[in-house]
C-alpha cells in the first residue's frame, strides 16, 4: 500500500517531546524520513529515533538551540545534506513565558529569548529551508489559538510571538506560491502536554472553554499537520487551522 508521504523528507524543529514528537512519529508513519531537532535530552531524542525506525523510515536527531540562528541553519542544512532532499518543514519548537506587562520584576531576558525561539528561530528555519525545498513542498508552523482570542491576562508577550508567525505565514505563502510551496499554520488550543497537562489545576477552566469539553491530544495536532503536508492539501496555503475542540474564548 502506498503511503501519502512515501519518498518525502521532513524536517521538524523541537521534535523530541509533546506535539513535536507526535508530529515526527505521524510523518514517519505516513512514509516520510524525518530529521528533528532537540534542545536538551539525547535520551528522549533517541527514543523518538527508535519510533521512526520502527515505522521503517530513516531518522536523524540533531541537538540545536532554536534561539541560536547558526544552529538552526546548520540543522536544516545537515538534514538536507544527509537525506539528499527536503520536502517538508514543520516549525514546532517553542517556549511559553508569561508575565503581566506592568510587572517590574519580570524576567526580560526570558521574554527576549522567547522572541528568539518563537519568532526568529522560525524565520531562520524558513529562510534556510526555502531554497532547499522541493517545488511543491510544504511548510507548517505551530501557533496558538491565543493569536486570535486572548483567554487570560499575562500572555501578551507569548501571544505576540505566535501572532507574528501567523502573519509571516500569510506573507510567505505569497513569496513561495510560484513554486507551489504551501505555507500554513496550525493553532492548537488546550493540548495535553508536559507544559499544559490535562490534570493541572487550571485544566477544568480550559476545558470549559471548549465545545467538546476536553483537552486535545498531541496526536490530534499531528493529524492536522499530516493533512496539510499531504497530497490532499495542495490548494491550501496562507491558512490558519485551529485544533481547539471548538474553543469559544
Amino acid at each position: 500500500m502506498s503511503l501519502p508521504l512515501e519518498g518525502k523528507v521532513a524536517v521538524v524543529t523541537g521534535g523530541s517531546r509533546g506535539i513535536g514528537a507526535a508530529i515526527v512519529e505521524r510523518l514517519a508513519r505516513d512514509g516520510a524520513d524525518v530529521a528533528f531537532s532537540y534542545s536538551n535530552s539525547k535520551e528522549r531524542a533517541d527514543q523518538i529515533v527508535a519510533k521512526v525506525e520502527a515505522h521503517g523510515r530513516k531518522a536523524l536527531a540533531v541537538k540545536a538551540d532554536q534561539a541560536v540562528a547558526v544552529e538552526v541553519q546548520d540543522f536544516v542544512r545537515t538534514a538536507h545534506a544527509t537525506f539528499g532532499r527536503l520536502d517538508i518543514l514543520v516549525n514546532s519548537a517553542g517556549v511559553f513565558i508569561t508575565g503581566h506587562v506592568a510587572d517590574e520584576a519580570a524576567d526580560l531576558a526570558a521574554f527576549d529569548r522567547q522572541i528568539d525561539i518563537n519568532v526568529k528561530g522560525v524565520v531562520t528555519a524558513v529562510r534556510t529551508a526555502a531554497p532547499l525545498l522541493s517545488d511543491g513542498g510544504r511548510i507548517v508552523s505551530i501557533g496558538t489559538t491565543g493569536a486570535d482570542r486572548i483567554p487570560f491576562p499575562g500572555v501578551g508577550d507569548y501571544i505576540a510571538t505566535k501572532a507574528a508567525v501567523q502573519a509571516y505565514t500569510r506573507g510567505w505563502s505569497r513569496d513561495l506560491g510560484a513554486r507551489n510551496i504551501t505555507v500554513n499554520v496550525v493553532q492548537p488550543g488546550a493540548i495535553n502536554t508536559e507544559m499544559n497537562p490535562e490534570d493541572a489545576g487550571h485544566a477544568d477552566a480550559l476545558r470549559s472553554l471548549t465545545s467538546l469539553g476536553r483537552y486535545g491530544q498531541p496526536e490530534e495536532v499531528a493529524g492536522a499537520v499530516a493533512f496539510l503536508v499531504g497530497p490532499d492539501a495542495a490548494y491550501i496555503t496562507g491558512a490558519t487551522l485551529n485544533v481547539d475542540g471548538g474553543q469559544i474564548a
Side-chain angles (χ1 to χ4, degrees):
M1 182 180 69
S2 178
L3 299 172
L5 300 181
E6 192 165 14
K8 303 293 186 182
V9 171
V11 165
V12 180
T13 68
S16 66
R17 63 174 59 198
I19 291 171
I23 291 169
V24 169
E25 187 171 4
R26 175 58 188 267
L27 299 186
R29 194 179 87 193
D30 284 357
D33 295 326
V34 187
F36 66 93
S37 65
Y38 68 97
S39 59
N40 293 307
S41 176
K42 185 178 185 300
E43 181 180 0
R44 280 179 180 262
D46 288 343
Q47 291 171 355
I48 302 303
V49 166
K51 289 183 177 181
V52 171
E53 292 176 343
H55 289 292
R57 311 314 309 171
K58 297 176 183 177
L60 174 68
V62 176
K63 190 171 190 283
D65 186 340
Q66 187 72 7
V68 180
V70 67
E71 294 190 22
V72 177
Q73 292 169 337
D74 287 347
F75 162 55
V76 174
R77 290 168 180 159
T78 296
H80 179 263
T82 299
F83 292 120
R85 62 182 297 149
L86 175 57
D87 304 286
I88 297 162
L89 170 66
V90 181
N91 296 298
S92 181
V95 294
F96 179 54
I97 308 296
T98 64
H100 196 285
V101 68
D103 182 5
E104 296 181 356
D107 186 347
L108 299 183
F111 286 125
D112 285 346
R113 179 170 170 79
Q114 180 168 239
I115 291 172
D116 288 341
I117 293 173
N118 292 6
V119 182
K120 293 181 180 178
V122 173
V123 172
T124 298
V126 172
R127 285 179 173 163
T128 306
L132 305 176
L133 276 167
S134 305
D135 289 353
R138 303 281 193 268
I139 298 173
V140 177
S141 299
I142 304 301
T144 177
T145 54
D148 300 316
R149 301 181 295 272
I150 312 297
F152 43 80
V155 294
D157 287 271
Y158 170 73
I159 283 172
T161 65
K162 295 300 188 177
V165 170
Q166 188 187 73
Y168 268 123
T169 292
R170 294 191 294 270
W172 289 330
S173 74
R174 302 291 290 182
D175 292 344
L176 300 174
R179 294 175 54 201
N180 288 316
I181 294 173
T182 66
V183 190
N184 296 291
V185 59
V186 170
Q187 295 189 156
I191 305 298
N192 181 33
T193 62
E194 291 180 17
M195 191 165 60
N196 184 27
E198 60 187 358
D199 59 358
H202 61 264
D204 285 343
L206 292 181
R207 269 189 286 269
S208 71
L209 298 177
T210 70
S211 298
L212 297 181
R214 68 172 178 86
Y215 263 52
Q217 300 302 319
E219 293 75 16
E220 293 175 300
V221 180
V225 172
F227 167 68
L228 288 172
V229 304
D232 292 335
Y235 199 56
I236 301 173
T237 193
T240 297
L241 175 57
N242 289 343
V243 182
D244 62 2
Q247 185 176 326
I248 59 175

